[in-house]
Amino acid sequence: MGFSDKNSIPDLVELIVRCTPSAAVEGQNEIRSELRVQPAMLEASSKLRFSVGLKRLMLSLDLSGLHAVPGSRHGEPIKESQETRERTVSTEISVERKRTGGLGLKLALNSELSAKTDDSQAIAEKGTVSTTEKQTHYRVRARGNLTWEISEPPWEMPILDGTYLNDALLLRTSCQDRANTKRIDLTAYAKQKDIVFTPEKVGVFRGTNERKLLQVLLSKALAGSDSFAGLVAFSRSEIDVED
């Protein structure tokens, strides 16, 4: 089984992929991956240095002569057919004190009480309805067409920084009948809008247009291709699967 890991900027994105026979199911293979992403310092010239970070990264898997085993994808958020939400409803209380010394008590749920215009004085407390919900975020989330999206939750810093896959089982595969070639190709790429360039020195850009133009030029340089389509591939792993 031959394999090749190509990381153009390993200080920024390091992707390692391996394929081994499954110990659980005979005739299946396991695709396991390591993925590390962190900001890196790059030099555009001797006087211009940039910190490059990613807000979002995509993994794209291409299979030849192999089938993806259903239900084996890593980071698959399954939507439940039934959804339950917890709600906490407070009770609204109005206490009325009359000039004659009498005391009246009224209870109301989710309604506003107005003071009466007669000889009584009313004190109303407004109730609130609060909802308790849980938020879940998949840092590595399975998407369609054998792709995975890597991102941070919205309540944290958006720049990717850390190990997101550590010999994780990305997918299991089975062989197609009479396939001449069995090949696995995994690519890590980012959209140009998700690449953040921060100059080492302040005042490098003279305006917003100049900043955007230079970011596009730097993205093209990272892509290393004349046919730049807004995507920058940082890593690519290829595996030839033997029978």
Side-chain angles (χ1 to χ4, degrees):
M1 183 175 297
F3 59 88
S4 174
D5 295 321
K6 301 176 183 178
N7 296 288
S8 59
I9 310 176
D11 290 342
L12 179 63
V13 178
E14 181 188 40
L15 179 66
I16 300 173
V17 180
R18 296 293 179 266
C19 181
T20 58
S22 174
V25 182
E26 185 177 357
Q28 293 185 2
N29 292 319
E30 295 183 351
I31 302 176
R32 293 186 171 272
S33 177
E34 296 182 17
L35 176 64
R36 298 170 183 87
V37 187
Q38 59 277 318
M41 188 65 69
L42 300 179
E43 291 188 4
S45 67
S46 59
K47 298 181 180 180
L48 189 58
R49 286 164 51 90
F50 285 88
S51 172
V52 182
L54 303 178
K55 294 188 294 184
R56 195 178 310 272
L57 185 71
M58 298 296 297
L59 297 180
S60 178
L61 180 63
D62 185 28
L63 300 177
S64 177
L66 298 168
H67 289 296
V69 175
S72 67
R73 298 189 195 189
H74 178 84
E76 189 79 80
I78 301 175
K79 293 285 188 178
E80 298 291 341
S81 59
Q82 178 178 331
E83 185 71 19
T84 302
R85 187 175 72 169
E86 298 178 0
R87 302 183 73 227
T88 303
V89 181
S90 63
T91 303
E92 193 173 82
I93 301 176
S94 175
V95 180
E96 295 184 353
R97 301 181 185 275
K98 297 184 178 180
R99 292 182 181 179
T100 57
L103 179 64
L105 179 64
K106 290 185 178 180
L107 298 179
L109 291 177
N110 298 327
S111 61
E112 293 188 2
L113 301 180
S114 59
K116 290 187 175 181
T117 58
D118 56 9
D119 291 338
S120 62
Q121 295 178 348
I123 302 174
E125 296 181 0
K126 292 183 178 180
T128 58
V129 178
S130 58
T131 302
T132 303
E133 295 179 339
K134 292 183 179 179
Q135 288 183 293
T136 302
H137 180 83
Y138 286 76
R139 284 188 167 89
V140 181
R141 177 170 181 155
R143 296 293 190 183
N145 197 27
L146 291 181
T147 60
W148 287 262
E149 177 185 3
I150 294 87
S151 64
E152 289 290 349
W155 55 84
E156 293 189 9
M157 294 294 293
I159 301 299
L160 300 178
D161 189 359
T163 299
Y164 294 87
L165 294 171
N166 189 17
D167 194 34
L169 176 58
L170 197 64
L171 185 75
R172 290 201 306 270
T173 63
S174 60
C175 297
Q176 295 180 0
D177 294 335
R178 296 185 295 275
N180 296 325
T181 303
K182 302 179 184 67
R183 189 177 181 84
I184 296 168
D185 191 340
L186 184 64
T187 303
Y189 67 90
K191 296 181 180 180
Q192 187 266 326
K193 66 177 184 179
D194 291 325
I195 305 175
V196 179
F197 296 97
T198 305
E200 185 180 39
K201 296 180 181 180
V202 297
V204 173
F205 303 113
R206 289 175 291 184
T208 303
N209 291 334
E210 184 177 296
R211 173 187 290 273
K212 291 181 178 180
L213 177 60
L214 188 54
Q215 286 182 340
V216 172
L217 293 176
L218 290 173
S219 297
K220 288 183 178 181
L222 290 177
S225 174
D226 294 334
S227 58
F228 177 68
L231 301 177
V232 178
F234 292 99
S235 301
R236 184 176 183 180
S237 293
E238 301 171 345
I239 301 177
D240 291 319
V241 181
E242 300 175 358
D243 294 331

